[in-house]
Amino acid sequence: MSVIKCDQIYLDDKVVNGYITIDKGRIESITTKYEGDITFDYTGRRIIPGLIDTHNHGIMGYQMRTANNYEMDDEVSIQGYLKGLASFGVTGVFPTCSIDKIKSIAKQAQSNTIIGAKILGIHSEGPWLNRVGEKGIKKEFIEPTKEIAQQMVDDGAGYLKLVSVSPEIKGIEKITEVMKENDVTLAIAHTDFFYNDVINSIENKGFSVMTHLGNAMTGLHHRNVGAIGAGLLNENVYCEIICDFIHVCQEMVQVMLKVKNLNKVIMISDNSEYTAIPPHLYKGTDDKTTIEVGKDGSIHTETGKIQGSSIPMIYGIKNLVTKLNYDLSDVIKLSSKNACDVYCLKDRGVIKQGYYADFVVIDDNYQVEATYVEGIMVYDGNTKKEDLMNQDFLEKHRISDELNL
């Protein structure tokens, strides 16, 4: 048993000055008085629920996009990824991967070894995506078949929770039917559909999530509010939103949060292997493109196309609190509780008696000082971030020419 003391513990309905008692991975009690030995005293800090990132491709040089991680063993790659996530307060994750990596990720999840963030599910974004970027660039993809869909489900071994596809792709119902039969959530992603067709997909075709609302979809216009407007106005769909203010500008995030029921918003990162690595020029994952990681956290290809951001979710929380003036108690629902509601992740997402002891200790500048998963400290703020990075990735992909950033 361990006892954690803190004067700002963010519960589901209030903030308390007290003690969290942990036993066998769960919160045994939360009290305002305790007489006994204290395991850790975080007075002057804040304890918030662990962040749950259901759309995350990588971090610190580790990537989940393909089975081959730059000649690195999949198990080593996934474990490095989970440790890196924990250093930014992520306690639960849906690794967002290509279909050839589903089996390896499921194997790691089945091991139930707690070394960092816990794999709570698997997210396959594609490969059936019709549109890439705001210019609607088309992307090639394999023909959708029921056989491929069933193989994804089988490889996932119960962990495949979310599949994001473009609903307009010919034959996509071969994928969606199999997913619905196996209780896998369907998300609308990278779509050229406008308002009416998106609404039809939500109401009649089983889609219940909008993937990274605002990105790679038809936008708001005064004669047709597009896919974005459909996501904001429909009460039956959950909307992923990236709050780094790079994917979606600050003002648009402000509009989205004013219109959409906050209980239907899921904060995500959409981070990649370029997250949290030093600003510089790097080779792309295919060795054919050049990636620029900027000091502002932006990631672009040599063409200027946005390639994600290197800003983890904890800074999305900071943005909403410090720049949009939302109360932290409300924001942590977007980063933790709401994902548990939509994906039926039991006993997680809030700090509550009987729930898993998944929480994060942060300072006033939103720096992570400690991360706990099922009562185990999986990250200590004294650990140097560079020690968690995939040094092999940095050495092989960093371009020697200095970048004027």
Side-chain angles (χ1 to χ4, degrees):
M1 187 179 77
S2 58
V3 180
I4 306 296
K5 178 182 179 182
C6 184
D7 53 346
Q8 297 180 77
I9 303 172
Y10 281 74
L11 308 183
D12 193 28
D13 56 350
K14 59 186 175 180
V15 181
V16 301
N17 177 354
Y19 306 82
I20 302 174
T21 302
I22 303 167
D23 189 35
K24 297 179 181 178
R26 291 182 180 258
I27 296 173
E28 184 179 74
S29 66
I30 302 169
T31 60
T32 56
K33 293 183 180 180
Y34 178 81
E35 294 182 3
D37 294 333
I38 306 298
T39 310
F40 288 102
D41 187 344
Y42 294 114
T43 300
R45 305 295 189 263
R46 288 176 284 183
I47 292 181
I48 64 173
L51 313 188
I52 298 176
D53 194 352
T54 57
H55 191 146
N56 186 297
H57 300 279
I59 195 167
M60 291 180 161
Y62 297 100
Q63 58 92 18
M64 300 293 106
R65 296 177 194 271
T66 62
N68 180 10
N69 194 54
Y70 319 119
E71 301 178 358
M72 176 176 283
D73 179 77
D74 264 0
E75 182 179 0
V76 174
S77 165
I78 296 167
Q79 291 178 358
Y81 165 77
L82 298 175
K83 292 176 184 178
L85 289 171
S87 71
F88 289 98
V90 177
T91 59
V93 66
F94 287 10
T96 305
C97 63
S98 55
I99 60 176
D100 57 355
K101 200 157 185 171
I102 291 175
K103 194 169 187 176
S104 295
I105 294 171
K107 182 180 178 181
Q108 178 64 42
Q110 288 171 313
S111 74
N112 207 30
T113 304
I114 299 175
I115 56 172
K118 188 178 182 71
I119 297 173
L120 300 178
I122 297 172
H123 176 189
S124 177
E125 187 183 14
W128 301 282
L129 303 174
N130 190 40
R131 173 191 179 103
V132 179
E134 277 59 56
K135 295 182 180 180
I137 301 169
K138 301 304 178 185
K139 189 174 184 178
E140 294 183 1
F141 45 80
I142 58 176
E143 180 183 353
T145 67
K146 286 191 174 184
E147 289 75 19
I148 295 175
Q150 189 60 53
Q151 189 64 58
M152 292 168 66
V153 171
D154 293 345
D155 287 349
Y159 283 94
L160 185 63
K161 299 288 186 182
L162 176 62
V163 173
S164 299
V165 299
S166 304
E168 68 265 32
I169 287 176
K170 184 178 179 180
I172 199 62
E173 66 277 358
K174 296 174 183 176
I175 304 299
T176 59
E177 287 174 5
V178 172
M179 297 307 163
K180 285 187 287 186
E181 288 170 1
N182 289 276
D183 296 322
V184 178
T185 299
L186 292 171
I188 297 172
H190 293 251
T191 182
D192 278 335
F193 268 174
F194 284 89
Y195 178 85
N196 287 336
D197 286 325
V198 171
I199 293 297
N200 183 48
S201 298
I202 296 167
E203 298 296 343
N204 301 314
K205 297 184 179 180
F207 289 84
S208 58
V209 173
M210 297 285 290
T211 298
H212 48 50
L213 191 72
N215 294 102
M217 64 179 60
T218 53
L220 290 168
H221 189 274
H222 60 281
R223 282 191 289 273
N224 191 313
V225 296
I228 295 177
L232 293 177
L233 294 175
N234 188 276
E235 296 179 355
N236 296 320
V237 71
Y238 282 83
C239 293
E240 295 182 350
I241 299 181
I242 308 168
C243 298
D244 57 14
F245 294 167
I246 292 174
H247 282 84
V248 182
C249 73
Q250 177 175 329
E251 294 78 14
M252 181 55 83
V253 171
Q254 193 170 11
V255 169
M256 290 175 172
L257 298 184
K258 282 184 177 292
V259 175
K260 190 69 179 177
N261 180 342
L262 294 184
N263 291 327
K264 294 283 190 172
V265 175
I266 304 170
M267 185 187 294
I268 60 163
S269 71
D270 199 12
N271 283 158
S272 73
E273 60 270 31
Y274 299 97
T275 296
I277 65 176
H280 206 76
L281 281 178
Y282 295 88
K283 295 178 185 177
T285 53
D286 57 4
D287 287 334
K288 296 177 182 179
T289 57
T290 301
I291 301 295
E292 176 184 314
V293 179
K295 288 183 179 179
D296 63 351
S298 63
I299 303 175
H300 293 89
T301 67
E302 70 275 11
T303 65
K305 175 183 171 294
I306 188 171
Q307 194 79 4
S309 85
S310 65
I311 301 175
M313 270 178 63
I314 188 66
Y315 298 108
I317 293 176
K318 180 180 180 181
N319 279 341
L320 298 191
V321 175
T322 64
K323 296 181 179 178
L324 295 188
N325 299 315
Y326 280 89
D327 191 283
L328 180 58
S329 294
D330 295 323
V331 174
I332 58 178
K333 295 176 182 178
L334 278 60
S335 62
S336 304
K337 181 179 183 297
N338 291 353
C340 295
D341 291 343
V342 67
Y343 300 114
C344 301
L345 306 175
K346 294 183 179 180
D347 299 342
R348 300 185 192 274
V350 296
I351 297 174
K352 185 176 181 179
Q353 183 178 1
Y355 277 46
Y356 288 106
D358 297 350
F359 55 83
V360 186
V361 183
I362 59 173
D363 65 16
D364 289 339
N365 197 36
Y366 295 82
Q367 297 297 307
V368 174
E369 297 205 356
T371 302
Y372 289 80
V373 174
E374 297 186 7
I376 298 171
M377 184 192 287
V378 293
Y379 174 72
D380 178 347
N382 294 318
T383 303
K384 295 180 180 178
K385 288 287 203 300
E386 52 265 33
D387 292 341
L388 298 173
M389 291 187 185
N390 181 352
Q391 296 298 329
D392 183 60
F393 173 87
L394 295 180
E395 291 173 9
K396 290 183 178 179
H397 287 261
R398 179 164 173 159
I399 296 173
S400 59
D401 294 336
E402 288 300 318
L403 178 60
N404 184 23
L405 293 171

